[in-house]
Amino acid sequence: MKPHLTLAMVALFAGTPAFAQSATPADIPAVGETKIETETFTRTVPSANRFEIESSKLAEQKNVAADVREFAAMMVRDHTKAGKDFKAALEQSQTTASVTASGPALLPRDQTMLDQLKGLDGDEFQAKYILLQTEAHKQALALFSTYAQSGEDPALKEFAKKTLPTLRMHEKHIKDLVAAHS
């Protein structure tokens, strides 16, 4: 299984079209897109954020390497903060979208990824968690950088800009995990 994981990770980082197309749902912008609608941004961000938190809470409970557990704790901490920052940005925004106290339901893609993790443990969980975190952060970077450049709502655009450095730092940590566990 490890050789397949390594090849999948290399392909993802290389940005091969086959992986890029299959990993990007229709409502998340591809890396080259120049605009994303505020409605798409406000629907995608809470679900993606909740996926990060829920999947990382699972990782903290599973039999994984110490560095993966530390990464998961960072994801819970940083994405909990991002959720609060997003809610504050929404309150200042011009959009009518809102975030409920219990949080949004996960979008089907995020729910599917979370469900894939629930039945796994040990090396299988760890490999799938790293792979899904790689995909999720690649998509998040595309979403946030596109909205930061061309978003319509000033408050949400500022939120996207402020969140990008954290997402880039997460991506670096993920690459380190891939290198350490390939």
Side-chain angles (χ1 to χ4, degrees):
M1 183 168 109
K2 286 196 180 229
H4 296 293
L5 175 64
T6 303
L7 289 173
M9 295 288 190
V10 168
L12 277 170
F13 287 128
T16 58
F19 276 92
Q21 289 172 356
S22 67
T24 305
D27 62 350
I28 295 180
V31 177
E33 278 193 43
T34 57
K35 184 158 176 61
I36 182 164
E37 299 298 322
T38 298
E39 179 184 338
T40 300
F41 187 75
T42 60
R43 184 179 69 244
T44 306
V45 168
S47 177
N49 201 50
R50 185 165 166 212
F51 166 77
E52 293 291 344
I53 293 168
E54 296 299 320
S55 65
S56 295
K57 284 181 178 178
L58 276 176
E60 290 179 312
Q61 300 166 6
K62 299 285 186 170
N63 183 21
V64 296
D67 58 344
V68 175
R69 192 177 315 280
E70 289 169 16
F71 175 79
M74 180 177 61
M75 290 298 95
V76 171
R77 183 181 60 248
D78 290 354
H79 284 278
T80 298
K81 181 185 181 312
K84 290 176 185 173
D85 293 347
F86 179 69
K87 188 173 181 180
L90 267 182
E91 290 170 359
Q92 296 176 7
S93 76
Q94 301 165 356
T95 185
T96 57
S98 64
V99 176
T100 62
S102 63
L106 290 174
L107 293 174
R109 181 192 174 281
D110 293 328
Q111 185 63 57
T112 298
M113 290 191 311
L114 188 61
D115 290 345
Q116 290 173 5
L117 289 170
K118 287 182 178 176
L120 302 175
D121 199 10
D123 288 344
E124 285 183 324
F125 177 89
Q126 182 171 291
K128 189 69 165 182
Y129 175 73
I130 292 170
L131 177 65
L132 293 179
Q133 288 295 324
T134 301
E135 292 177 13
H137 280 86
K138 184 176 182 177
Q139 291 170 10
L141 281 166
L143 178 74
F144 277 73
S145 50
T146 301
Y147 199 85
Q149 291 174 357
S150 63
E152 303 156 346
D153 187 286
L156 294 174
K157 192 173 177 176
E158 186 62 26
F159 162 74
K161 286 179 186 176
K162 286 182 177 180
T163 307
L164 273 169
T166 302
L167 293 173
R168 287 186 185 111
M169 184 256 305
H170 291 170
E171 182 184 46
K172 182 194 176 313
H173 282 285
I174 293 165
K175 286 179 180 180
D176 292 344
L177 289 177
V178 169
H181 298 284
S182 294

